[in-house]
PDB file of all heavy atoms in Angstrom:
ATOM      1  N   ALA Y  30       9.153  -1.916  14.912  1.00 85.00           N
ATOM      2  CA  ALA Y  30       9.387  -0.510  14.814  1.00 85.00           C
ATOM      3  C   ALA Y  30      10.018   0.077  16.004  1.00 85.00           C
ATOM      4  O   ALA Y  30       9.592  -0.177  17.153  1.00 85.00           O
ATOM      5  CB  ALA Y  30       8.056   0.220  14.482  1.00 85.00           C
ATOM      6  N   GLU Y  31      11.041   0.896  15.829  1.00 82.00           N
ATOM      7  CA  GLU Y  31      11.743   1.562  16.943  1.00 82.00           C
ATOM      8  C   GLU Y  31      11.615   3.099  16.879  1.00 82.00           C
ATOM      9  O   GLU Y  31      11.883   3.775  17.888  1.00 82.00           O
ATOM     10  CB  GLU Y  31      13.233   1.190  16.940  1.00 82.00           C
ATOM     11  CG  GLU Y  31      13.470  -0.291  17.193  1.00 82.00           C
ATOM     12  CD  GLU Y  31      14.906  -0.656  17.231  1.00 82.00           C
ATOM     13  OE1 GLU Y  31      15.745   0.239  16.985  1.00 82.00           O
ATOM     14  OE2 GLU Y  31      15.243  -1.796  17.529  1.00 82.00           O
ATOM     15  N   THR Y  32      11.150   3.646  15.780  1.00 80.00           N
ATOM     16  CA  THR Y  32      11.040   5.113  15.663  1.00 80.00           C
ATOM     17  C   THR Y  32       9.651   5.448  15.158  1.00 80.00           C
ATOM     18  O   THR Y  32       8.965   4.563  14.623  1.00 80.00           O
ATOM     19  CB  THR Y  32      12.099   5.742  14.715  1.00 80.00           C
ATOM     20  OG1 THR Y  32      11.867   5.277  13.377  1.00 80.00           O
ATOM     21  CG2 THR Y  32      13.520   5.311  15.125  1.00 80.00           C
ATOM     22  N   GLU Y  33       9.287   6.751  15.223  1.00 82.00           N
ATOM     23  CA  GLU Y  33       7.984   7.179  14.796  1.00 82.00           C
ATOM     24  C   GLU Y  33       7.759   6.947  13.290  1.00 82.00           C
ATOM     25  O   GLU Y  33       6.754   6.534  12.822  1.00 82.00           O
ATOM     26  CB  GLU Y  33       7.790   8.669  15.179  1.00 82.00           C
ATOM     27  CG  GLU Y  33       6.419   9.205  14.809  1.00 82.00           C
ATOM     28  CD  GLU Y  33       5.212   8.581  15.439  1.00 82.00           C
ATOM     29  OE1 GLU Y  33       5.431   7.840  16.477  1.00 82.00           O
ATOM     30  OE2 GLU Y  33       4.100   8.802  15.033  1.00 82.00           O
ATOM     31  N   LEU Y  34       8.830   7.231  12.548  1.00 82.00           N
ATOM     32  CA  LEU Y  34       8.660   7.071  11.057  1.00 82.00           C
ATOM     33  C   LEU Y  34       8.474   5.555  10.739  1.00 82.00           C
ATOM     34  O   LEU Y  34       7.633   5.225   9.866  1.00 82.00           O
ATOM     35  CB  LEU Y  34       9.857   7.553  10.348  1.00 82.00           C
ATOM     36  CG  LEU Y  34       9.927   9.060  10.021  1.00 82.00           C
ATOM     37  CD1 LEU Y  34      11.188   9.405   9.251  1.00 82.00           C
ATOM     38  CD2 LEU Y  34       8.723   9.472   9.218  1.00 82.00           C
ATOM     39  N   GLN Y  35       9.183   4.707  11.375  1.00 86.00           N
ATOM     40  CA  GLN Y  35       8.989   3.229  11.161  1.00 86.00           C
ATOM     41  C   GLN Y  35       7.555   2.842  11.550  1.00 86.00           C
ATOM     42  O   GLN Y  35       6.948   2.059  10.833  1.00 86.00           O
ATOM     43  CB  GLN Y  35       9.999   2.473  12.016  1.00 86.00           C
ATOM     44  CG  GLN Y  35      11.483   2.541  11.453  1.00 86.00           C
ATOM     45  CD  GLN Y  35      12.430   1.874  12.380  1.00 86.00           C
ATOM     46  OE1 GLN Y  35      12.555   2.196  13.549  1.00 86.00           O
ATOM     47  NE2 GLN Y  35      13.065   0.842  11.896  1.00 86.00           N
ATOM     48  N   ARG Y  36       7.095   3.372  12.650  1.00 88.00           N
ATOM     49  CA  ARG Y  36       5.725   3.011  13.131  1.00 88.00           C
ATOM     50  C   ARG Y  36       4.671   3.468  12.109  1.00 88.00           C
ATOM     51  O   ARG Y  36       3.788   2.698  11.720  1.00 88.00           O
ATOM     52  CB  ARG Y  36       5.458   3.603  14.502  1.00 88.00           C
ATOM     53  CG  ARG Y  36       4.126   3.262  15.058  1.00 88.00           C
ATOM     54  CD  ARG Y  36       3.684   4.139  16.269  1.00 88.00           C
ATOM     55  NE  ARG Y  36       3.484   5.481  15.893  1.00 88.00           N
ATOM     56  CZ  ARG Y  36       2.280   5.940  15.395  1.00 88.00           C
ATOM     57  NH1 ARG Y  36       1.294   5.084  15.181  1.00 88.00           N
ATOM     58  NH2 ARG Y  36       2.133   7.180  15.037  1.00 88.00           N
ATOM     59  N   ARG Y  37       4.853   4.723  11.628  1.00 88.00           N
ATOM     60  CA  ARG Y  37       3.847   5.199  10.643  1.00 88.00           C
ATOM     61  C   ARG Y  37       3.891   4.390   9.312  1.00 88.00           C
ATOM     62  O   ARG Y  37       2.789   4.035   8.825  1.00 88.00           O
ATOM     63  CB  ARG Y  37       4.152   6.650  10.355  1.00 88.00           C
ATOM     64  CG  ARG Y  37       3.916   7.673  11.466  1.00 88.00           C
ATOM     65  CD  ARG Y  37       4.228   9.064  10.973  1.00 88.00           C
ATOM     66  NE  ARG Y  37       4.076  10.038  12.010  1.00 88.00           N
ATOM     67  CZ  ARG Y  37       4.330  11.313  11.878  1.00 88.00           C
ATOM     68  NH1 ARG Y  37       4.756  11.806  10.657  1.00 88.00           N
ATOM     69  NH2 ARG Y  37       4.141  12.176  12.867  1.00 88.00           N
ATOM     70  N   SER Y  38       5.040   4.115   8.860  1.00 90.00           N
ATOM     71  CA  SER Y  38       5.137   3.342   7.623  1.00 90.00           C
ATOM     72  C   SER Y  38       4.599   1.905   7.781  1.00 90.00           C
ATOM     73  O   SER Y  38       3.803   1.444   6.922  1.00 90.00           O
ATOM     74  CB  SER Y  38       6.592   3.247   7.170  1.00 90.00           C
ATOM     75  OG  SER Y  38       6.740   2.353   6.060  1.00 90.00           O
ATOM     76  N   ALA Y  39       4.925   1.251   8.901  1.00 91.00           N
ATOM     77  CA  ALA Y  39       4.445  -0.086   9.174  1.00 91.00           C
ATOM     78  C   ALA Y  39       2.985  -0.136   9.310  1.00 91.00           C
ATOM     79  O   ALA Y  39       2.280  -1.017   8.833  1.00 91.00           O
ATOM     80  CB  ALA Y  39       5.172  -0.692  10.411  1.00 91.00           C
ATOM     81  N   LEU Y  40       2.415   0.924  10.013  1.00 92.00           N
ATOM     82  CA  LEU Y  40       0.982   0.950  10.200  1.00 92.00           C
ATOM     83  C   LEU Y  40       0.231   1.077   8.911  1.00 92.00           C
ATOM     84  O   LEU Y  40      -0.829   0.532   8.673  1.00 92.00           O
ATOM     85  CB  LEU Y  40       0.689   2.121  11.174  1.00 92.00           C
ATOM     86  CG  LEU Y  40      -0.677   2.098  11.897  1.00 92.00           C
ATOM     87  CD1 LEU Y  40      -0.731   0.779  12.779  1.00 92.00           C
ATOM     88  CD2 LEU Y  40      -0.801   3.270  12.760  1.00 92.00           C
ATOM     89  N   ALA Y  41       0.791   1.963   7.972  1.00 92.00           N
ATOM     90  CA  ALA Y  41       0.179   2.132   6.628  1.00 92.00           C
ATOM     91  C   ALA Y  41       0.261   0.877   5.839  1.00 92.00           C
ATOM     92  O   ALA Y  41      -0.747   0.447   5.222  1.00 92.00           O
ATOM     93  CB  ALA Y  41       0.914   3.252   5.932  1.00 92.00           C
ATOM     94  N   LEU Y  42       1.324   0.134   5.985  1.00 92.00           N
ATOM     95  CA  LEU Y  42       1.469  -1.135   5.228  1.00 92.00           C
ATOM     96  C   LEU Y  42       0.507  -2.179   5.822  1.00 92.00           C
ATOM     97  O   LEU Y  42      -0.152  -2.927   5.085  1.00 92.00           O
ATOM     98  CB  LEU Y  42       2.928  -1.646   5.304  1.00 92.00           C
ATOM     99  CG  LEU Y  42       3.316  -2.715   4.308  1.00 92.00           C
ATOM    100  CD1 LEU Y  42       3.186  -2.258   2.878  1.00 92.00           C
ATOM    101  CD2 LEU Y  42       4.813  -3.095   4.581  1.00 92.00           C
ATOM    102  N   ALA Y  43       0.524  -2.297   7.131  1.00 93.00           N
ATOM    103  CA  ALA Y  43      -0.340  -3.308   7.765  1.00 93.00           C
ATOM    104  C   ALA Y  43      -1.842  -2.954   7.526  1.00 93.00           C
ATOM    105  O   ALA Y  43      -2.694  -3.840   7.501  1.00 93.00           O
ATOM    106  CB  ALA Y  43      -0.088  -3.386   9.256  1.00 93.00           C
ATOM    107  N   GLY Y  44      -2.161  -1.658   7.374  1.00 93.00           N
ATOM    108  CA  GLY Y  44      -3.478  -1.258   7.129  1.00 93.00           C
ATOM    109  C   GLY Y  44      -3.962  -1.385   5.744  1.00 93.00           C
ATOM    110  O   GLY Y  44      -5.116  -1.041   5.386  1.00 93.00           O
ATOM    111  N   GLY Y  45      -3.092  -1.837   4.843  1.00 93.00           N
ATOM    112  CA  GLY Y  45      -3.492  -2.160   3.462  1.00 93.00           C
ATOM    113  C   GLY Y  45      -3.193  -1.073   2.425  1.00 93.00           C
ATOM    114  O   GLY Y  45      -3.721  -1.132   1.319  1.00 93.00           O
ATOM    115  N   ALA Y  46      -2.371  -0.061   2.781  1.00 94.00           N
ATOM    116  CA  ALA Y  46      -2.148   1.047   1.822  1.00 94.00           C
ATOM    117  C   ALA Y  46      -1.553   0.544   0.585  1.00 94.00           C
ATOM    118  O   ALA Y  46      -2.040   0.898  -0.508  1.00 94.00           O
ATOM    119  CB  ALA Y  46      -1.237   2.088   2.506  1.00 94.00           C
ATOM    120  N   LEU Y  47      -0.557  -0.300   0.684  1.00 95.00           N
ATOM    121  CA  LEU Y  47       0.117  -0.847  -0.569  1.00 95.00           C
ATOM    122  C   LEU Y  47      -0.818  -1.838  -1.192  1.00 95.00           C
ATOM    123  O   LEU Y  47      -0.935  -1.891  -2.421  1.00 95.00           O
ATOM    124  CB  LEU Y  47       1.448  -1.520  -0.176  1.00 95.00           C
ATOM    125  CG  LEU Y  47       2.181  -2.262  -1.299  1.00 95.00           C
ATOM    126  CD1 LEU Y  47       2.505  -1.292  -2.489  1.00 95.00           C
ATOM    127  CD2 LEU Y  47       3.460  -2.883  -0.821  1.00 95.00           C
ATOM    128  N   SER Y  48      -1.506  -2.705  -0.430  1.00 95.00           N
ATOM    129  CA  SER Y  48      -2.377  -3.744  -1.031  1.00 95.00           C
ATOM    130  C   SER Y  48      -3.488  -3.073  -1.844  1.00 95.00           C
ATOM    131  O   SER Y  48      -3.816  -3.520  -2.871  1.00 95.00           O
ATOM    132  CB  SER Y  48      -2.994  -4.522   0.128  1.00 95.00           C
ATOM    133  OG  SER Y  48      -1.922  -5.178   0.861  1.00 95.00           O
ATOM    134  N   ARG Y  49      -4.064  -1.973  -1.302  1.00 95.00           N
ATOM    135  CA  ARG Y  49      -5.082  -1.306  -2.066  1.00 95.00           C
ATOM    136  C   ARG Y  49      -4.604  -0.734  -3.375  1.00 95.00           C
ATOM    137  O   ARG Y  49      -5.241  -0.809  -4.441  1.00 95.00           O
ATOM    138  CB  ARG Y  49      -5.772  -0.212  -1.222  1.00 95.00           C
ATOM    139  CG  ARG Y  49      -6.670  -0.755  -0.131  1.00 95.00           C
ATOM    140  CD  ARG Y  49      -7.395   0.384   0.620  1.00 95.00           C
ATOM    141  NE  ARG Y  49      -6.531   1.288   1.277  1.00 95.00           N
ATOM    142  CZ  ARG Y  49      -6.137   1.141   2.488  1.00 95.00           C
ATOM    143  NH1 ARG Y  49      -6.485   0.069   3.220  1.00 95.00           N
ATOM    144  NH2 ARG Y  49      -5.334   1.965   3.155  1.00 95.00           N
ATOM    145  N   GLN Y  50      -3.356  -0.135  -3.286  1.00 96.00           N
ATOM    146  CA  GLN Y  50      -2.761   0.435  -4.548  1.00 96.00           C
ATOM    147  C   GLN Y  50      -2.487  -0.664  -5.563  1.00 96.00           C
ATOM    148  O   GLN Y  50      -2.849  -0.495  -6.764  1.00 96.00           O
ATOM    149  CB  GLN Y  50      -1.525   1.157  -4.157  1.00 96.00           C
ATOM    150  CG  GLN Y  50      -0.817   1.825  -5.382  1.00 96.00           C
ATOM    151  CD  GLN Y  50      -1.676   2.829  -6.044  1.00 96.00           C
ATOM    152  OE1 GLN Y  50      -1.749   3.997  -5.594  1.00 96.00           O
ATOM    153  NE2 GLN Y  50      -2.310   2.464  -7.149  1.00 96.00           N
ATOM    154  N   VAL Y  51      -1.922  -1.788  -5.122  1.00 95.00           N
ATOM    155  CA  VAL Y  51      -1.627  -2.863  -6.029  1.00 95.00           C
ATOM    156  C   VAL Y  51      -2.912  -3.485  -6.576  1.00 95.00           C
ATOM    157  O   VAL Y  51      -2.980  -3.773  -7.767  1.00 95.00           O
ATOM    158  CB  VAL Y  51      -0.729  -3.935  -5.374  1.00 95.00           C
ATOM    159  CG1 VAL Y  51      -0.584  -5.149  -6.256  1.00 95.00           C
ATOM    160  CG2 VAL Y  51       0.610  -3.349  -4.992  1.00 95.00           C
ATOM    161  N   GLY Y  52      -3.934  -3.590  -5.758  1.00 94.00           N
ATOM    162  CA  GLY Y  52      -5.185  -4.062  -6.239  1.00 94.00           C
ATOM    163  C   GLY Y  52      -5.792  -3.202  -7.331  1.00 94.00           C
ATOM    164  O   GLY Y  52      -6.353  -3.674  -8.340  1.00 94.00           O
ATOM    165  N   ASP Y  53      -5.681  -1.873  -7.117  1.00 95.00           N
ATOM    166  CA  ASP Y  53      -6.126  -0.953  -8.149  1.00 95.00           C
ATOM    167  C   ASP Y  53      -5.351  -1.097  -9.480  1.00 95.00           C
ATOM    168  O   ASP Y  53      -5.909  -1.138 -10.554  1.00 95.00           O
ATOM    169  CB  ASP Y  53      -5.999   0.495  -7.632  1.00 95.00           C
ATOM    170  CG  ASP Y  53      -6.351   1.493  -8.692  1.00 95.00           C
ATOM    171  OD1 ASP Y  53      -7.585   1.614  -9.061  1.00 95.00           O
ATOM    172  OD2 ASP Y  53      -5.501   2.309  -9.146  1.00 95.00           O
ATOM    173  N   TRP Y  54      -4.008  -1.210  -9.353  1.00 95.00           N
ATOM    174  CA  TRP Y  54      -3.182  -1.349 -10.539  1.00 95.00           C
ATOM    175  C   TRP Y  54      -3.624  -2.649 -11.298  1.00 95.00           C
ATOM    176  O   TRP Y  54      -3.685  -2.673 -12.475  1.00 95.00           O
ATOM    177  CB  TRP Y  54      -1.695  -1.468 -10.146  1.00 95.00           C
ATOM    178  CG  TRP Y  54      -1.126  -0.163  -9.776  1.00 95.00           C
ATOM    179  CD1 TRP Y  54      -1.520   1.086 -10.095  1.00 95.00           C
ATOM    180  CD2 TRP Y  54       0.074   0.017  -8.920  1.00 95.00           C
ATOM    181  NE1 TRP Y  54      -0.730   2.034  -9.503  1.00 95.00           N
ATOM    182  CE2 TRP Y  54       0.276   1.412  -8.792  1.00 95.00           C
ATOM    183  CE3 TRP Y  54       0.918  -0.880  -8.331  1.00 95.00           C
ATOM    184  CZ2 TRP Y  54       1.316   1.935  -8.073  1.00 95.00           C
ATOM    185  CZ3 TRP Y  54       1.994  -0.356  -7.531  1.00 95.00           C
ATOM    186  CH2 TRP Y  54       2.117   1.069  -7.469  1.00 95.00           C
ATOM    187  N   ARG Y  55      -3.829  -3.713 -10.467  1.00 92.00           N
ATOM    188  CA  ARG Y  55      -4.160  -5.060 -11.095  1.00 92.00           C
ATOM    189  C   ARG Y  55      -5.515  -4.948 -11.811  1.00 92.00           C
ATOM    190  O   ARG Y  55      -5.634  -5.503 -12.939  1.00 92.00           O
ATOM    191  CB  ARG Y  55      -4.217  -6.063 -10.029  1.00 92.00           C
ATOM    192  CG  ARG Y  55      -4.248  -7.515 -10.518  1.00 92.00           C
ATOM    193  CD  ARG Y  55      -4.283  -8.514  -9.343  1.00 92.00           C
ATOM    194  NE  ARG Y  55      -4.183  -9.836  -9.917  1.00 92.00           N
ATOM    195  CZ  ARG Y  55      -5.260 -10.477 -10.386  1.00 92.00           C
ATOM    196  NH1 ARG Y  55      -6.443  -9.915 -10.385  1.00 92.00           N
ATOM    197  NH2 ARG Y  55      -5.160 -11.733 -10.890  1.00 92.00           N
ATOM    198  N   GLU Y  56      -6.489  -4.288 -11.226  1.00 91.00           N
ATOM    199  CA  GLU Y  56      -7.776  -4.172 -11.928  1.00 91.00           C
ATOM    200  C   GLU Y  56      -7.716  -3.419 -13.221  1.00 91.00           C
ATOM    201  O   GLU Y  56      -8.321  -3.777 -14.228  1.00 91.00           O
ATOM    202  CB  GLU Y  56      -8.860  -3.477 -10.954  1.00 91.00           C
ATOM    203  CG  GLU Y  56      -9.247  -4.313  -9.795  1.00 91.00           C
ATOM    204  CD  GLU Y  56      -9.954  -5.611 -10.262  1.00 91.00           C
ATOM    205  OE1 GLU Y  56     -10.784  -5.516 -11.147  1.00 91.00           O
ATOM    206  OE2 GLU Y  56      -9.602  -6.669  -9.717  1.00 91.00           O
ATOM    207  N   ARG Y  57      -6.931  -2.392 -13.187  1.00 92.00           N
ATOM    208  CA  ARG Y  57      -6.705  -1.579 -14.426  1.00 92.00           C
ATOM    209  C   ARG Y  57      -5.937  -2.408 -15.454  1.00 92.00           C
ATOM    210  O   ARG Y  57      -6.248  -2.332 -16.685  1.00 92.00           O
ATOM    211  CB  ARG Y  57      -5.981  -0.267 -14.126  1.00 92.00           C
ATOM    212  CG  ARG Y  57      -6.935   0.719 -13.401  1.00 92.00           C
ATOM    213  CD  ARG Y  57      -6.203   1.682 -12.498  1.00 92.00           C
ATOM    214  NE  ARG Y  57      -5.322   2.584 -13.225  1.00 92.00           N
ATOM    215  CZ  ARG Y  57      -4.464   3.460 -12.607  1.00 92.00           C
ATOM    216  NH1 ARG Y  57      -4.429   3.528 -11.293  1.00 92.00           N
ATOM    217  NH2 ARG Y  57      -3.753   4.293 -13.379  1.00 92.00           N
ATOM    218  N   LEU Y  58      -5.051  -3.173 -15.045  1.00 90.00           N
ATOM    219  CA  LEU Y  58      -4.265  -4.069 -15.955  1.00 90.00           C
ATOM    220  C   LEU Y  58      -5.203  -5.101 -16.548  1.00 90.00           C
ATOM    221  O   LEU Y  58      -5.065  -5.460 -17.747  1.00 90.00           O
ATOM    222  CB  LEU Y  58      -3.169  -4.803 -15.190  1.00 90.00           C
ATOM    223  CG  LEU Y  58      -1.780  -4.128 -15.181  1.00 90.00           C
ATOM    224  CD1 LEU Y  58      -0.790  -5.022 -14.401  1.00 90.00           C
ATOM    225  CD2 LEU Y  58      -1.316  -3.903 -16.570  1.00 90.00           C
ATOM    226  N   LEU Y  59      -6.196  -5.598 -15.804  1.00 88.00           N
ATOM    227  CA  LEU Y  59      -7.101  -6.595 -16.357  1.00 88.00           C
ATOM    228  C   LEU Y  59      -7.870  -6.017 -17.421  1.00 88.00           C
ATOM    229  O   LEU Y  59      -8.201  -6.635 -18.473  1.00 88.00           O
ATOM    230  CB  LEU Y  59      -8.038  -7.110 -15.232  1.00 88.00           C
ATOM    231  CG  LEU Y  59      -7.432  -8.073 -14.235  1.00 88.00           C
ATOM    232  CD1 LEU Y  59      -8.367  -8.381 -13.062  1.00 88.00           C
ATOM    233  CD2 LEU Y  59      -7.014  -9.442 -14.979  1.00 88.00           C
ATOM    234  N   MET Y  60      -8.325  -4.760 -17.248  1.00 88.00           N
ATOM    235  CA  MET Y  60      -9.100  -4.063 -18.352  1.00 88.00           C
ATOM    236  C   MET Y  60      -8.250  -3.872 -19.591  1.00 88.00           C
ATOM    237  O   MET Y  60      -8.705  -4.088 -20.714  1.00 88.00           O
ATOM    238  CB  MET Y  60      -9.557  -2.704 -17.820  1.00 88.00           C
ATOM    239  CG  MET Y  60     -10.538  -2.791 -16.663  1.00 88.00           C
ATOM    240  SD  MET Y  60     -12.059  -3.570 -17.065  1.00 88.00           S
ATOM    241  CE  MET Y  60     -12.790  -2.456 -18.203  1.00 88.00           C
ATOM    242  N   LEU Y  61      -6.973  -3.523 -19.357  1.00 88.00           N
ATOM    243  CA  LEU Y  61      -6.037  -3.321 -20.538  1.00 88.00           C
ATOM    244  C   LEU Y  61      -5.813  -4.676 -21.220  1.00 88.00           C
ATOM    245  O   LEU Y  61      -5.716  -4.758 -22.435  1.00 88.00           O
ATOM    246  CB  LEU Y  61      -4.785  -2.692 -20.090  1.00 88.00           C
ATOM    247  CG  LEU Y  61      -4.886  -1.223 -19.625  1.00 88.00           C
ATOM    248  CD1 LEU Y  61      -3.631  -0.727 -18.967  1.00 88.00           C
ATOM    249  CD2 LEU Y  61      -5.251  -0.327 -20.791  1.00 88.00           C
TER     250      LEU Y  61
END
């Protein structure tokens, strides 16, 4: 990361923001 926006986005990704969302989608898919 070289800019503040890159840092924020990377920090959210490394902190599991996308992973948690995908995990939620996957659980709901399993129910369906």
